[in-house]
Amino acid sequence: MDFLKKLKIKKVNYGSSTGLKWNTTKSEGKLDIHSPVDGKYIASVYQASKEDYDKVVETAHKAYLEWRNVPAPKRGEIVRQIGDKLRKYKDPLGHLVSYEMGKSLQEGLGEVQEMIDICDFAVGQSRQLYGYTMKSERPNHRMYDQYHPLGVVGTISAFNFPVAVWSWNAMIATVCGDTNLWKPSSKVPLTAIAVQNIVGEVIKENNLPEGLFTLVIGRGSSVGEKMLNDKKVPLISITGSTHVGRHGAEVIAKRFGKAILELGGNNAIILTPEADLKMALPAIVFGAVGTAGQRCTTTRRLIIHESIYAKVVATITKAYKGLKIGSPMDEKNHVGPLIDKAAVADFTNAIDLVKKEGGKVIYGGDVLKGKGYESGCYVVPAIVEAKNSYKIVQEETFAPILYLLKYKGDVTKAIDIHNDVVQGLSSAIFTNNIQEAEEFLSASGSDCGIANVNIGTSGAEIGGAFGGEKETGGGRESGSDAWKAYMRRQTNTINYGKTLPLAQGIKFDI
């Protein structure tokens, strides 16, 4: 395929890089990557060894000792050049994202655009790594805080956003003076290799230190565990399931490291009687079926007032029946495949479980077979009448299942249902009633890290801090002041007087 050639993806690739060199280990086995689009073989990757990991981290740490002293605006200039490279490679990289992961081509190109956008954001941020000046209680003293680079920043990314999540972390960390270590999902390693090749061009062109951007593709049980336990990696951002994040957080905490956790979501939209249903419909459908339900911000629960329930069910069912399911490389299709057959099994198991608990499948739930669906990864997005108390509804199934939940009374009843899950990532309400909207955004409203009014749960902008509460992990990435997580904070006091007054009026004469 032409886009593989443009991205320098070979039939057989190596799984670890120091930025300028690829380690050539073959002893750890090979990942054979097949596309969920058509089941065809794309390429292979030799997995990194523990020794490869050690080389990569040592190189990244050495580069950090140099990079931390480069003025932040100059670090921003490098990120600007990376953004320009991504513009150059947007089309082939977007095609690879779509073909390797299975999301629509439009979404694949959009994900690369998100990388470009965060580069632009980070360039500006490089001139705004601000601190604060505080008034000292002691005369002739100046007190302020400032932020310094942290070290090697690790990113463990998931398959569903194979490149964007890395960029959220890496571009901000780079302007903060950190170097980067990336462990991508083993389900989508080719996109990571492509990005490493792209940033490698910038490293060479600017004669930058080897180790500024590093990559390890390997087993979680070996390379992954070394990364979690490594004191040379003071911060690790983990995107994945709550189970994976909990384990990672425990290991990192034992060595007093820092973790940014972006974990499970069980996102809901509330529809009140005051909702504009015409506006709400595309937000609901895209939120539920976009990326085949494999976004952490996917809409999984729809909480509907009883007075409009029947109308909403009929409207959504009609919309689902019009969905075009097929190759994501064809922009006419709305829904592509799940990532693999294990994800399909999770989908069908969830459908079976919700039926056993008393739920009713209104539409969908089937696995598609035949021409165009040879990979075995295509399903019909499901609409299911359910109750929030069902065990399966309380869990996150990474697949296109939308649970319809009915509520009575005022908006506080809907908010109670909304908050009655262990996850807390994204949330939304559709209403033209300002009191309902403000209640949803108040301290007694949504308990999620993201709360929206009259837009859906999916499609967060990079300018805002991204992340959630409760078992979603509490971390924040991307915009706002999320940059502070990638730096260490220091409070400074300068005495420019002739005497040494002590704080709190303490006297200590010698």
Side-chain angles (χ1 to χ4, degrees):
M1 295 181 179
D2 189 49
F3 59 83
L4 295 175
K5 184 178 180 181
K6 289 179 180 177
L7 296 168
K8 302 175 185 176
I9 300 296
K10 304 171 183 175
K11 277 298 177 185
V12 180
N13 306 270
Y14 293 106
S16 68
S17 169
T18 59
L20 294 176
K21 301 173 185 174
W22 291 87
N23 295 318
T24 57
T25 299
K26 297 182 179 180
S27 61
E28 301 303 305
K30 198 169 55 170
L31 296 170
D32 294 327
I33 307 304
H34 295 79
S35 172
V37 174
D38 53 19
K40 293 181 179 179
Y41 167 80
I42 309 174
S44 298
V45 181
Y46 284 113
Q47 297 186 98
S49 66
K50 291 181 179 180
E51 293 73 23
D52 290 334
Y53 173 86
D54 290 337
K55 290 178 185 176
V56 164
V57 172
E58 186 59 40
T59 307
H61 179 70
K62 185 178 178 182
Y64 160 68
L65 299 179
E66 180 180 344
W67 188 244
R68 64 183 176 179
N69 293 318
V70 174
K74 290 188 177 181
R75 300 193 294 246
E77 165 58 19
I78 297 305
V79 171
R80 185 194 66 77
Q81 292 182 36
I82 291 172
D84 284 346
K85 288 290 185 185
L86 290 169
R87 288 179 173 89
K88 175 183 175 182
Y89 289 103
K90 178 179 176 178
D91 188 72
L93 185 56
H95 275 76
L96 178 56
V97 168
S98 181
Y99 192 61
E100 185 180 27
M101 185 267 153
K103 62 175 59 178
S104 73
L105 180 57
Q106 189 175 353
E107 289 184 77
L109 294 169
E111 183 168 348
V112 181
Q113 184 60 49
E114 194 163 325
M115 300 175 77
I116 295 166
D117 293 343
I118 197 65
C119 286
D120 289 349
F121 181 91
V123 172
Q125 190 69 71
S126 70
R127 294 181 181 271
Q128 299 182 74
L129 303 177
Y130 53 82
Y132 293 101
T133 298
M134 292 76 71
K135 295 300 181 182
S136 173
E137 66 183 58
R138 292 169 285 188
N140 299 323
H141 280 58
R142 182 163 66 90
M143 184 166 58
Y144 65 95
D145 63 18
Q146 62 177 324
Y147 291 83
H148 292 304
L150 194 60
V152 181
V153 169
T155 300
I156 298 175
S157 60
F159 74 85
N160 59 327
F161 279 85
V163 291
V165 170
W166 168 82
S167 69
W168 293 356
N169 289 277
M171 296 303 100
I172 300 296
T174 298
V175 299
C176 287
D178 304 317
T179 56
N180 291 279
L181 170 63
W182 185 11
K183 184 185 181 301
S185 167
S186 294
K187 295 182 179 183
V188 286
L190 301 178
T191 46
I193 293 171
V195 170
Q196 188 72 1
N197 288 334
I198 291 169
V199 297
E201 292 184 13
V202 178
I203 293 172
K204 291 175 183 176
E205 290 166 4
N206 290 271
N207 196 29
L208 297 174
E210 183 178 9
L212 183 57
F213 297 99
T214 57
L215 176 70
V216 284
I217 299 165
R219 296 183 181 88
S221 58
S222 55
V223 169
E225 287 301 311
K226 278 186 74 70
M227 188 172 175
L228 296 176
N229 283 281
D230 195 343
K231 290 186 176 182
K232 287 184 178 178
V233 187
L235 169 67
I236 300 179
S237 170
I238 303 174
T239 301
S241 68
T242 298
H243 171 75
V244 168
R246 180 178 287 113
H247 170 69
E250 289 173 353
V251 174
I252 294 167
K254 286 180 181 178
R255 62 174 174 86
F256 294 98
K258 297 170 67 177
I260 297 173
L261 304 176
E262 300 291 356
L263 311 177
N266 199 345
N267 317 295
I269 294 176
I270 294 173
L271 293 179
T272 81
E274 302 281 350
D276 182 337
L277 296 182
K278 186 176 181 180
M279 180 188 292
L281 180 64
I284 294 165
V285 177
F286 175 73
V289 309
T291 324
Q294 297 171 116
R295 290 182 175 222
C296 51
T297 55
T298 289
T299 305
R300 308 206 180 279
R301 297 176 297 143
L302 189 60
I303 304 168
I304 313 163
H305 192 269
E306 62 176 354
S307 65
I308 58 172
Y309 186 82
K311 181 179 181 180
V312 170
V313 171
T315 302
I316 293 176
T317 303
K318 182 180 179 181
Y320 267 55
K321 288 180 178 178
L323 291 174
K324 295 178 181 178
I325 305 169
S327 170
M329 311 304 285
D330 183 347
E331 295 189 56
K332 294 180 182 178
N333 291 326
H334 300 107
V335 185
L338 292 172
I339 185 65
D340 53 27
K341 291 181 180 179
V344 174
D346 289 342
F347 173 79
T348 55
N349 288 340
I351 296 293
D352 291 341
L353 286 171
V354 76
K355 287 179 180 177
K356 289 179 182 178
E357 291 191 80
K360 178 184 176 183
V361 177
I362 296 175
Y363 181 79
D366 302 316
V367 179
L368 294 172
K369 299 177 181 178
K371 187 177 180 181
Y373 308 120
E374 290 85 356
S375 68
C377 298
Y378 291 86
V379 301
V380 181
I383 305 171
V384 182
E385 283 188 331
K387 293 182 179 180
N388 204 60
S389 58
Y390 291 172
K391 183 180 178 183
I392 190 61
V393 176
Q394 290 284 313
E395 299 174 0
E396 179 190 43
T397 302
F398 224 53
I401 303 175
L402 179 63
Y403 297 115
L404 306 185
L405 313 172
K406 188 186 298 185
Y407 81 95
K408 300 179 181 180
D410 63 20
V411 73
T412 62
K413 305 301 183 189
I415 292 172
D416 288 342
I417 295 170
H418 173 280
N419 291 348
D420 190 24
V421 292
V422 296
Q423 308 87 354
L425 179 53
S426 187
S427 59
I429 186 171
F430 276 83
T431 179
N432 286 328
N433 183 314
I434 191 170
Q435 291 176 319
E436 291 179 336
E438 290 293 341
E439 179 71 21
F440 182 72
L441 300 178
S442 73
S444 56
S446 168
D447 61 3
C448 292
I450 299 169
N452 299 326
V453 175
N454 291 334
I455 64 170
T457 62
S458 196
E461 295 184 40
I462 57 96
F466 181 89
E469 300 299 321
K470 302 191 290 187
E471 289 192 7
T472 299
R476 293 297 186 274
E477 294 172 337
S478 193
S480 187
D481 67 347
W483 62 269
K484 293 179 179 179
Y486 303 89
M487 305 194 81
R488 58 182 178 86
R489 185 170 185 162
Q490 186 179 78
T491 301
N492 308 112
T493 305
I494 300 170
N495 177 3
Y496 57 89
K498 303 288 186 181
T499 60
L500 184 67
L502 301 178
Q504 293 86 46
I506 293 172
K507 301 296 183 181
F508 185 72
D509 297 323
I510 55 172

